[in-house]
Amino acid sequence: TPTIVDDLIYVTSGMGNIYCFNRNSGEKLWSVNMITDLHGTKPLFGYSESIIIDDEKVFCTPGGKDTNVVALNRFTGDLVWLSKGEGERYAYNSPQIIKLNDRNVLVNFTAFELMGHDTKTGELLWVHNQKYIKPENRRPDNDEVYGNTIIYEDGFIYYTSTAAGAGNGGVKLELAKDGKRIKEVWRNKDFDSYIGGIVKIGDHLYGCGTVKRGFKCLNATTGEIENVLRINNGVVIAADEMLYYYNFGGNVMLITPDPENMEVVSEFSIRKGDKEHFAHPV
C-alpha cells in the first residue's frame, strides 16, 4: 500500500524497489533497491511491505544477514541506521510503530521471529520466537508467511501467525512501559490466520483459522475461542459496528461481531477470477 506524507508518496515494489515521488508532479525524488543497494535476500513471493514513516525516517526489511532491518532518510534515501536483527529472511509483514513515552518501537516479523526495534537508534529491544521449528531445522523452504500486522492496545501486543509450520498461532504479549521487554500472556494455536488479518472490537478478536478452518471469535483477556462460524478462510475488516469478510473462495460476507450470536447477515459472490481471492478490502 502506498504511504502519503504531505507532498511525498512512498511505495515498495515486489522486486524490492523503494520509491519516493512528488505527488503533485510525479517526479521521482529518490529510489533504493533492497537487494542490490541494501544486500537483502529476495523472498519467494516478492516484497510486500507497506512503507511506514516516523519523523524523518522510512523503514524497510531487506532481510539480509547484516542489513536485516533498515532506516532511511525519507527525504534523501540515505542510510540512517541498520540492524542485523536475527539475520533472517523477510516474511511479507508490514510493520507497526508503537509510540511510548520513552521511545517509539518498530514491530515486525522476519522468517521465524517477531522483533521490536527502537525507531531512533535501531537498537534491537526484544525478540519473540516462533517456536515450532527448531533453529537447526530452519531452511529457506520452510519459513513462514507472517502477513498480518500486529495490533497494539493499552500496553498489549496481539498477533497471529499460521500454526501449520513454525508459527505460534494467536499470541498476546505485554509490552513494558519503556518498550524494552515483552512478556507472553497467552497463545492459542487455533487462532492462526496468516494473511487474513485480525480485528479487535471491545475485548474480543476476530479472524480466521488456518489449520482448523473457520471464522473465529477469541476472548482477548483469556485467549479462549468463544465462537466459530464454519466458513472458508479469508480477510476481515471492521466498520460501522459490523465485520466485513472476504473469503478466499470469493464470497463477501457481512457478519455480526457478537461473541454469543455471531452470524452471517448477508453475502454475495465475486464472479471474476478463478484462483484464490487474497485481496484485502477497504
Side-chain angles (χ1 to χ4, degrees):
T1 303
T3 299
I4 302 174
V5 182
D6 300 326
D7 289 335
L8 301 180
I9 297 176
Y10 302 89
V11 67
T12 302
S13 78
M15 297 304 290
N17 290 303
I18 300 172
Y19 297 101
C20 175
F21 296 103
N22 182 293
R23 74 182 179 103
N24 297 309
S25 67
E27 176 189 2
K28 184 179 75 173
L29 303 179
W30 59 264
S31 65
V32 170
N33 183 274
M34 285 191 277
I35 298 173
T36 58
D37 298 323
L38 300 179
H39 312 294
T41 302
K42 182 182 176 182
L44 178 62
F45 300 112
Y47 287 96
S48 53
E49 181 178 34
S50 297
I51 290 292
I52 196 165
I53 302 289
D54 186 40
D55 292 331
E56 80 285 358
K57 293 180 289 296
V58 58
F59 305 95
C60 61
T61 311
K65 289 287 185 182
D66 296 317
T67 53
N68 202 246
V69 180
V70 170
L72 305 173
N73 183 294
R74 73 179 185 91
F75 300 106
T76 66
D78 294 334
L79 180 69
V80 176
W81 57 251
L82 60 85
S83 169
K84 293 184 178 182
E86 296 294 293
E88 297 176 342
R89 295 170 301 283
Y90 168 72
Y92 317 103
N93 189 257
S94 289
Q96 180 68 279
I97 292 176
I98 298 173
K99 296 187 176 182
L100 305 173
N101 290 331
D102 294 323
R103 62 179 44 83
N104 292 347
V105 183
L106 179 77
V107 183
N108 68 331
F109 275 101
T110 52
F112 297 101
E113 319 286 347
L114 181 73
M115 302 185 297
H117 284 87
D118 186 302
T119 61
K120 185 176 181 179
T121 66
E123 177 189 359
L124 179 60
L125 302 170
W126 48 261
V127 172
H128 198 247
N129 187 267
Q130 304 300 294
K131 296 182 178 179
Y132 295 105
I133 293 182
K134 295 180 179 180
E136 61 269 23
N137 296 326
R138 295 175 178 179
R139 306 183 309 273
D141 63 345
N142 72 357
D143 59 348
E144 294 296 326
V145 173
Y146 298 116
N148 298 320
T149 298
I150 63 107
I151 292 175
Y152 176 77
E153 185 178 84
D154 297 332
F156 296 98
I157 294 170
Y158 304 88
Y159 77 78
T160 62
S161 58
T162 174
N168 291 329
V171 176
K172 180 178 183 177
L173 304 172
E174 183 177 4
L175 181 65
K177 291 183 178 180
D178 62 4
K180 288 187 173 182
R181 296 171 304 281
I182 54 170
K183 177 182 178 182
E184 185 173 310
V185 179
W186 53 252
R187 71 172 64 184
N188 189 322
K189 287 194 71 173
D190 292 334
F191 194 69
D192 64 338
S193 168
Y194 71 107
I195 62 171
I198 55 173
V199 298
K200 186 174 186 292
I201 300 177
D203 197 37
H204 290 84
L205 295 165
Y206 297 87
C208 72
T210 298
V211 176
K212 296 181 180 179
R213 296 191 174 190
F215 184 74
K216 303 180 180 184
C217 170
L218 178 141
N219 186 302
T221 299
T222 66
E224 299 296 322
I225 292 174
E226 294 188 352
N227 206 337
V228 180
L229 292 177
R230 302 299 177 184
I231 54 180
N232 196 9
N233 292 358
V235 179
V236 62
I237 60 172
D240 303 320
E241 300 182 351
M242 297 296 288
L243 298 167
Y244 296 80
Y245 189 61
Y246 181 22
N247 75 20
F248 297 163
N251 296 315
V252 180
M253 303 177 183
L254 187 64
I255 299 174
T256 53
D258 186 333
E260 295 182 359
N261 301 300
M262 188 169 63
E263 63 178 351
V264 177
V265 174
S266 61
E267 64 180 296
F268 64 90
S269 295
I270 303 295
R271 298 299 182 184
K272 294 184 177 181
D274 57 6
K275 292 187 177 181
E276 298 93 343
H277 292 246
F278 282 166
H280 283 227
V282 295

